[in-house]
Amino acid sequence: MSRRLVDSGVEWIGKMPANWKLRRIGNLFEQRSEKVSDIEYEPLSVTKNGIVKQLATAAKSNDHTNRKKVCLNDFVINSRSDRKMSSGVSPLEGSVSLINIVLHSTDMDPSFVNYLLKNYGFAEEFYRWGTGIVEDLWSTNYSRMKKILIPIPSLEEQKKIANLLEDKVSKINNITEKLKLSIEELKKYKQSLITETVTKGLDPNVEMKNSETSYIGDIPFNWNISRIRYLGFLQNGISKSGEYFGSGHPFVSYSDVYKNIELPKNVDGLVESTNEERERYSVRKGDVFFTRTSETIQEVGFASTCMEEVPGAVFAGFVIRFRPETQELNPAYAKYYFRSEIHRKFFVKEMNIVTRASLSQGLLKRLPVLLPSQEEQREISQFLDEKCYHIDSLIEKKQKIIAEMESYKKSLIYEYVTGKKEVV
């Protein structure tokens, strides 16, 4: 017979076992607020994946003493609302930035605490107690956090719940990791297929010739090779201050270009622009947009081709537009050609970095472009459309399974740490 559940009176908890206690965080944990040096105490990062050694991308301060001490099995949570779910029980001793809350308890099982306080239900409750002027940047301090009510079973049951979840969550994570690896392999295969096809063509028996470009190698004998400067002209995007954004006409952003091989027909961005600006920075079919600047070379020179005009749109200043002036390039072929991996080698070889990687028009003008006949360009684009559609469909199915597994895991943890499911 299942145990009796009662209404906890707390919205995020809902029903809980009648024999469990409802306690405030401040009655179970003590805050650890000792300031230490990150020279003596290893710097740690508080992430959505838990507490780890400081990430290379983490912001670093010259004040090495401006840190909080963290001991083994302390629970650490980032107090800022834009860092939701960045928390966990620390498997390490070290130090974290002052924006984090560090808690320790001698009466709670650390593994149970990790599942209880690092679940979506509690995360929503924690940030509901936050304060601040800007909604997505407010924070929750400990004086408010300690008032939050949480469900507490006996220490023995805490251990049982933690052990069961460790087993179930580990199995779910193993499945999702395999799916993620499979997705990465599919993405790599897709990219290699595009690169191979736009540099070697579809006929494996065709006669080849030297492209005289080392990283491209041999190409079909009847293909031409040109620099992009001879095929059209380049234009940097519009530059406007922040108050012009959020209303007005369509705006093609850096993200629109970076994330998509084909420019979206409907973009989310809006900017107030004049008639002259909309003409100068227009977005027409056949235009190819390149990401112009980033912190790393790896994110510079990503291309997105416009397959259908976006009326009234302008494009971002962090983007360069290439507009063909000849009929030598089929847009459907250009879509794949300019997204191929061969350009990464060109940019890495030719680009200089000071503080940020930046793609200049001068450099982009020298980019080699391989030109099969118009008929072969159409054949290549049709072949890649079919192959990439199949690969993308497989990726989408795997991503859907991952999303379902993550949703199941989230629900499973919540059901056990609030006592709705019982360890038998």
Side-chain angles (χ1 to χ4, degrees), residues 228-245:
I228 200 172
R229 70 196 307 166
Y230 301 119
L231 301 174
F233 67 95
L234 302 173
Q235 170 73 48
N236 284 9
I238 195 169
S239 180
K240 290 241 178 185
S241 54
E243 65 266 23
Y244 289 94
F245 291 88

Side-chain angles (χ1 to χ4, degrees), residues 7-15 121 125 128 149 414 418 420:
D7 186 0
S8 68
V10 180
E11 185 177 352
W12 82 269
I13 299 172
K15 290 187 176 182
E125 179 71 3
R128 190 179 70 82
L149 290 164
Y414 174 78
T418 57
K420 294 172 184 60

Side-chain angles (χ1 to χ4, degrees), residues 261-264 283-289 304-310 331-332 335:
I261 187 171
E262 185 176 319
L263 201 68
V283 180
R284 298 174 184 166
K285 181 178 180 179
D287 288 349
V288 183
F289 297 88
S304 182
T305 300
C306 179
M307 301 303 293
E308 186 174 319
E309 181 171 351
V310 184
K335 176 177 76 172

Side-chain angles (χ1 to χ4, degrees), residues 112-357:
F112 176 78
V113 170
N114 196 55
Y115 287 116
L116 174 63
L117 301 187
K118 189 176 173 59
N119 80 82
Y120 183 78
F122 176 79
E124 289 295 304
E125 179 71 3
F126 174 75
Y127 292 107
R128 190 179 70 82
W129 284 73
T131 57
I133 299 173
V134 183
E135 184 175 348
D136 61 349
L137 283 180
W138 63 27
S139 62
T140 307
N141 59 35
Y142 182 63
S143 65
R144 294 176 67 84
M145 180 186 184
K146 68 181 183 181
K147 298 175 184 178
I148 299 175
L149 290 164
I150 55 177
I152 304 297
S154 67
L155 186 60
E156 180 183 0
E157 191 166 0
Q158 288 179 36
K159 293 180 184 294
K160 286 182 179 179
I161 291 171
N163 289 337
L164 179 141
L165 286 175
E166 197 69 35
D167 178 61
K168 289 183 177 292
V169 169
S170 176
K171 289 176 180 176
I172 293 170
N173 288 343
N174 285 338
I175 293 170
T176 56
E177 281 306 309
K178 288 178 181 177
L179 286 167
K180 288 176 182 178
L181 286 173
S182 176
I183 287 172
E184 287 307 308
E185 289 301 314
L186 284 169
K187 287 180 177 179
K188 288 179 183 177
Y189 170 66
K190 175 184 171 181
Q191 193 60 58
S192 66
L193 179 67
I194 291 172
T195 302
E196 179 73 13
T197 306
V198 299
T199 56
K200 308 302 178 188
L202 297 173
D203 183 359
N205 301 313
V206 70
E207 182 183 343
M208 307 293 279
K209 68 180 179 182
N210 191 337
S211 69
E212 299 183 357
T213 304
S214 60
Y215 59 84
I216 294 178
D218 291 344
I219 62 174
F221 80 98
N222 59 340
W223 286 21
N224 295 321
I225 187 166
S226 177
R227 300 288 177 180
I228 200 172
R229 70 196 307 166
Y230 301 119
L231 301 174
F233 67 95
L234 302 173
Q235 170 73 48
N236 284 9
I238 195 169
S239 180
K240 290 241 178 185
S241 54
E243 65 266 23
Y244 289 94
F245 291 88
S247 62
H249 295 269
F251 175 74
V252 174
S253 68
Y254 180 102
S255 180
D256 291 328
V257 174
Y258 179 75
K259 292 180 179 179
N260 301 286
I261 187 171
E262 185 176 319
L263 201 68
K265 296 175 184 177
N266 299 303
V267 294
D268 294 327
L270 293 173
V271 66
E272 294 176 18
S273 56
T274 65
N275 289 334
E276 189 275 331
E277 286 170 336
R278 290 193 293 277
E279 177 61 31
R280 178 176 175 79
Y281 304 104
S282 59
V283 180
R284 298 174 184 166
K285 181 178 180 179
D287 288 349
V288 183
F289 297 88
F290 294 86
T291 55
R292 186 172 68 83
T293 182
S294 180
E295 293 180 358
T296 65
I297 290 178
Q298 284 69 30
E299 293 183 356
V300 169
F302 271 77
S304 182
T305 300
C306 179
M307 301 303 293
E308 186 174 319
E309 181 171 351
V310 184
V314 296
F315 60 98
F318 293 119
V319 171
I320 298 177
R321 181 192 66 198
F322 163 65
R323 176 163 289 170
E325 291 184 296
T326 73
Q327 301 299 314
E328 296 172 81
L329 265 178
N330 182 317
Y333 168 77
K335 176 177 76 172
Y336 290 111
Y337 180 77
F338 289 114
R339 198 74 176 194
S340 68
E341 276 298 304
I342 58 173
H343 310 310
R344 306 256 58 79
K345 297 177 182 178
F346 173 79
F347 295 134
V348 169
K349 179 176 178 291
E350 300 292 336
M351 191 177 295
N352 294 318
I353 295 182
V354 182
T355 54
R356 288 178 65 87

